[in-house]
Amino acid sequence: DGSLIYPKKETEILTLEEIRRKLLEYTVGCIYSLCNWEFDELAYRDIKMLLLDAQAHGTKTLIVMTPYQPWVLNRFSELSAYQEILPAVRGAIATRMVQEAGVSFAFCDALDPATSGCMETEFMDGMHMQRYCAEKVMRKCLGRLDETLLSPQL
C-alpha cells in the first residue's frame, strides 16, 4: 500500500551471500514474532469490519498471503514450533472470515515463492520482497481473478 518505504540502500539487489547472512540473523530466536502466534480477536474484528464495509459498497477484495524468502520458508518446516503456524493462519482465514463472518473476498496463497516464480535473490531479507518479486506475485494473483474467485479459494 506504500505506507512503508525503505531507503534506496535497503532495496538494492543483494548478493545471495548478503541475503543469506541477513537470513541467519533474522532466524535466530523467535522468527518474525511467529513463534508465539495466536489468533488476535481484535485484529480479526477490525479486518472483518473493513471487509464487510468494502463488500457493502460493492468493492471486491483480494487478500494475498505473500511469500517468505525460500530459505526462511524451508526453515519454518524444519522447526517444530512453526510447523502448525502457517496452516493455522490459512485456517483462520477460511473458517473465521468466510464461514463465521460471511465475508466475500478472493484469496491468493502466494506463500511459496516458487509458485510466483520469485527467486531467492528477489528478497531484501526473509520476508520483504523486491519489486520484481512483488510484481510476479501480483501477476499470479490478479491472473487468477475471475468469476470463481468471488469467494475464497483456500
Side-chain angles (χ1 to χ4, degrees):
D1 67 0
S3 63
L4 181 59
I5 299 174
Y6 291 91
K8 184 176 180 177
K9 183 177 182 346
E10 290 185 33
T11 61
E12 293 173 350
I13 304 295
L14 302 174
T15 66
L16 192 51
E17 183 180 305
E18 291 170 316
I19 292 171
R20 287 184 177 159
R21 188 172 48 248
K22 277 188 165 188
L23 297 178
L24 289 174
E25 293 171 15
Y26 289 137
T27 56
V28 172
C30 185
I31 303 173
Y32 301 119
S33 303
L34 286 176
C35 56
N36 298 311
W37 184 83
E38 291 181 13
F39 191 85
D40 185 330
E41 291 293 336
L42 293 175
Y44 163 71
R45 186 197 71 214
D46 291 346
I47 293 170
K48 177 179 78 170
M49 290 172 55
L50 176 68
L51 293 174
L52 287 172
D53 184 64
Q55 187 174 311
H57 287 88
T59 302
K60 294 178 183 170
T61 306
L62 170 65
I63 294 177
V64 178
M65 190 173 236
T66 57
Y68 283 98
Q69 201 275 354
W71 189 87
V72 173
L73 189 61
N74 186 54
R75 190 81 178 120
F76 283 145
S77 67
E78 293 172 351
L79 301 171
S80 61
Y82 298 91
Q83 290 175 352
E84 295 180 16
I85 293 171
L86 298 177
V89 171
R90 287 184 183 107
I93 292 170
T95 303
R96 301 296 299 270
M97 293 300 230
V98 178
Q99 296 171 1
E100 293 178 20
V103 178
S104 179
F105 58 90
F107 176 76
C108 181
D109 184 349
L111 189 66
D112 181 351
T115 64
S116 302
C118 292
M119 308 301 291
E120 60 183 319
T121 55
E122 292 180 311
F123 290 81
M124 291 178 266
D125 55 34
M127 64 187 251
H128 295 100
M129 300 171 279
Q130 293 281 357
R131 176 182 177 175
Y132 311 106
C133 179
E135 289 171 354
K136 291 175 183 180
V137 169
M138 292 313 298
R139 269 195 301 277
K140 172 199 174 196
C141 294
L142 293 174
R144 290 183 55 225
L145 286 179
D146 59 25
E147 293 302 313
T148 63
L149 282 181
L150 294 177
S151 61
Q153 301 292 306
L154 299 172

